[in-house]
Amino acid sequence: MTAHQIPSTPPFLLDPDKQLFINGSWRQALSGELIETRNPATGLVLARLAKGTGADVDLAVKAARAAFEGPWSQFTPHQRHSLLIKVHDVIDRHFEELAMLDTLDMGAPLSRTLKAKDRVLQTIMFCATQSMNCLGQTIPNSLPGNFTTMTVKAPVGVVGGIIPWNGPLIGQWWVIGGALASGCTVVLKPAEDASLSVLRTAELLLDAGVPPGVVNVVTGLGAEAGAALAEHPDVDRIAFTGSTVTGRAVIRASAVNMKRLQLELGGKSPDIVFADADLDRAVPGAAMGVFNNSGQICYAGTRLFVQRQIQDEFVERLVAYGKTVKVGDPLDPSVQMGPLVSERQLHRVLGYIDQGSAEGATLAGGGKRLEGALSQGYYVEPTVFDHVNNDMTIAREEIFGPVISVIPFDTADEALRLANDTDYGLGGAVWTTNVKTMNQMMHGIKAGAVWVNCYGAIDLAVGFGGHKHSGYGWKGGTQHIDGFLYQKAICINYD
Ligand code: NAD
């Protein structure tokens, strides 16, 4: 990798030899080709990554398989637990560097990436406790004779982790943590727009004592390295986060060897505000439910259903709130919203904004690319559309940008019908002071997570997952470890 000079450039970025991480060491892609990644705040080239292809994926899978069958399989639950505690300490010590890498790579403000520290460390500790919890059951049987019957759980093997660009700092840990806890090994394919923190983490894991081959990283394009991982016949499970379209391709590719899948895909989540809500909380809650991470969050509450009698007041306050969100250089600690991840994403989001206006929605606030000192970066203003209807493109397709669509409703039944009129089912929220309305909404919204008088709160111990086209498989909670294990029934005959 090579990097343009940035005041606080992490040394890791300046090392041209750190390309693919396979079997505990760095190597170049077999093709020798590189891909450029840009700093979205400046548009300048940030690093050159190895363009891994199927042959590199194959090497990484072989290393992961050898580690799985080799010394790693001898680690007891207690040893994996102790290792995760060491990993926790190493990541803790290096977190500022990792946060800086994500900020430079994908544009999330430092205020956000640094704040992710607690969450990442909690995830590692959570997985450490799970390593002692790969439990089977002894089950009374009705077989004729003298039998003991039980179930045991065993690691599935090699797990492919396909990571998106919108939060690799955290996203990678759902896969690495589960693998280290269960005894699986992993090959990670980070997104081409945000690979750096994943590469650096793999190196740090080796320092922490994770044996070579247990965690491997192959960078490259989704259609090449990603597709090769998804269809590799010696990968036992894929944990994928990304778009629904790619999720479908991963499902098809998994058929080759019946891979297990965990898919967290797109969303178009409803956020429903009733007239009786505490608007002082609902306005910032709904706004940041979309503007956080510049709207690049899978469960962002982008369809904002507002009861008609408060529509005008709510939109006015929402637009005013949007103007208070500080957008700018993500390295400035006071900035709340950075650029979009890439030029491609910038044009995609601006295209949706044009389409919203063309289809008759009212642009109430924002809507433009930022100019002046920020014109080289991929910045879009916090944007609010009013008078949207649920059939418009901006209400149906995932924009993945800071764009809210306000859709009015009159009754609770109508709100629920519109909220569920979507292919997606990732998240949803209701703001109300009426317990009957709350009850109707929390049971009625068809999604993997429902928030009441808050937005986007996710507890590791509870976890979350998708419904409908938003995917399947649970992340977090006591079920998290189960995704990395298969179950075996054992029957012992004493006669
Ligand atoms: P994507 O689904 O194409 O990419 C996600 C990951 O999948 C990346 O690592 C990519 O390299 C990999 N990938 C791409 N094609 C693949 C294939 N054929 N086989 C295996 N892996 C493949 O998403 P994107 O193009 O980066 O973003 C497009 C849209 O996806 C966004 O605008 C947003 O709507 C959605 N998205 C959702 C999430 C989420 O958290 N649910 C995250 C990122 C993107």
Side-chain angles (χ1 to χ4, degrees):
M1 263 171 272
T2 56
H4 284 250
Q5 292 303 316
I6 298 160
S8 39
T9 304
F12 175 73
L13 254 178
L14 298 166
D15 192 334
D17 293 327
K18 299 196 168 172
Q19 298 195 357
L20 305 179
F21 193 75
I22 298 179
N23 207 22
S25 45
W26 295 104
R27 55 181 302 146
Q28 295 189 347
L30 290 166
S31 70
E33 287 184 63
L34 299 172
I35 44 176
E36 282 182 351
T37 174
R38 286 173 190 272
N39 178 345
T42 60
L44 297 174
V45 173
L46 177 68
R48 292 185 176 83
L49 305 170
K51 189 169 176 250
T53 59
D56 301 294
V57 168
D58 194 45
L59 280 181
V61 172
K62 284 196 169 85
R65 176 62 61 191
F68 178 73
E69 306 289 353
W72 180 234
S73 65
Q74 304 304 312
F75 272 60
T76 62
H78 176 68
Q79 286 171 316
R80 295 199 302 272
H81 179 268
S82 304
L83 182 60
L84 274 156
I85 304 295
K86 281 191 201 135
V87 166
H88 171 280
D89 294 347
V90 169
I91 298 299
D92 188 3
R93 281 202 303 281
H94 290 85
F95 199 82
E96 281 173 20
E97 178 197 350
L98 293 166
M100 174 66 84
L101 285 172
D102 250 22
T103 289
L104 294 171
D105 213 8
M106 49 76 69
L110 216 43
S111 59
R112 178 179 170 85
T113 53
L114 286 174
K115 218 163 74 184
K117 182 172 183 177
D118 285 350
R119 192 160 185 81
V120 168
L121 294 180
Q122 279 171 19
T123 307
I124 299 171
M125 287 307 263
F126 177 76
C127 290
T129 58
Q130 293 239 314
S131 62
M132 310 289 267
N133 260 323
C134 306
L135 307 177
Q137 288 179 308
T138 305
I139 303 167
N141 66 77
S142 308
L143 298 168
N146 286 313
F147 291 94
T148 293
T149 44
M150 65 180 95
T151 58
V152 294
K153 290 190 181 166
V156 292
V158 177
V159 176
I162 303 179
I163 317 282
W165 39 260
N166 58 339
L169 209 51
I170 293 179
Q172 60 183 311
W173 279 103
W174 291 112
V175 189
I176 300 172
L180 294 184
S182 62
C184 289
T185 56
V186 287
V187 177
L188 299 172
K189 210 306 279 174
E192 39 278 50
D193 289 320
S195 294
L196 300 176
S197 68
V198 180
L199 288 166
R200 178 67 175 131
T201 296
E203 184 177 51
L204 290 172
L205 291 176
L206 194 71
D207 295 348
V210 175
V214 172
V215 176
N216 308 276
V217 186
V218 178
T219 54
L221 302 179
E224 294 177 359
L229 187 59
E231 68 196 17
H232 197 291
D234 204 27
V235 171
D236 301 288
R237 177 181 195 245
I238 292 282
F240 171 79
T241 303
S243 64
T244 295
V245 171
T246 307
R248 282 201 183 89
V250 169
I251 292 172
R252 283 193 293 272
S254 72
V256 65
N257 63 334
M258 306 290 174
K259 283 182 189 68
R260 286 151 193 262
L261 296 177
Q262 182 258 308
L263 303 169
E264 189 202 327
L265 309 176
K268 198 70 200 172
S269 300
D271 191 358
I272 308 172
V273 185
F274 283 85
D276 61 28
D278 175 351
L279 299 192
D280 290 341
R281 292 176 62 194
V283 169
M288 293 317 287
V290 177
F291 299 149
N292 256 329
N293 213 27
S294 304
Q296 302 167 121
I297 295 187
C298 47
Y299 53 74
T302 47
R303 289 185 304 141
L304 185 57
F305 297 98
V306 179
Q307 205 160 19
R308 205 176 302 273
Q309 58 263 48
I310 58 162
Q311 183 185 0
D312 291 345
E313 179 194 352
F314 200 87
V315 170
E316 197 177 307
R317 290 180 66 173
L318 202 59
V319 171
Y321 186 89
K323 289 187 180 142
T324 69
V325 175
K326 187 167 177 191
V327 187
D329 181 355
L331 295 172
D332 173 346
S334 67
V335 157
Q336 294 165 280
M337 211 178 97
L340 294 166
V341 70
S342 63
E343 194 170 12
R344 181 177 75 125
Q345 196 64 12
L346 171 77
H347 291 304
R348 185 183 146 98
V349 171
L350 292 175
Y352 276 115
I353 292 173
D354 287 346
Q355 198 162 357
S357 298
E359 290 182 13
T362 307
L363 184 60
K368 289 198 286 299
R369 179 178 183 176
L370 293 191
E371 292 170 351
L374 299 177
S375 64
Q376 298 307 304
Y378 312 133
Y379 297 90
V380 172
E381 293 174 313
T383 298
V384 178
F385 273 108
D386 195 7
H387 305 293
V388 179
N389 76 53
N390 205 41
D391 295 327
M392 290 179 183
T393 307
I394 54 169
R396 302 217 72 82
E397 296 184 13
E398 190 177 36
I399 299 174
F400 238 54
V403 183
I404 298 178
S405 295
V406 174
I407 304 172
F409 70 91
D410 291 303
T411 66
D413 287 347
E414 184 193 9
L416 206 49
R417 180 177 58 73
L418 291 169
N420 289 331
D421 177 17
T422 171
D423 287 339
Y424 295 112
L426 204 51
V430 56
W431 300 83
T432 180
T433 49
N434 181 319
V435 287
K436 205 171 146 203
T437 310
M438 180 199 303
N439 189 51
Q440 183 186 1
M441 295 298 130
M442 70 189 208
H443 289 292
I445 293 174
K446 294 183 173 142
V450 177
W451 295 286
V452 179
N453 292 329
C454 60
Y455 203 93
I458 289 177
D459 190 276
L460 290 174
V462 180
F464 68 104
H467 183 46
K468 302 202 281 185
H469 295 202
S470 294
Y472 46 80
W474 201 253
K475 275 182 179 172
T478 47
Q479 302 98 312
H480 188 67
I481 196 79
D482 273 339
F484 294 82
L485 302 168
Y486 73 96
Q487 182 158 275
K488 222 187 286 200
I490 294 182
C491 182
I492 306 165
N493 183 352
Y494 299 109
D495 292 329

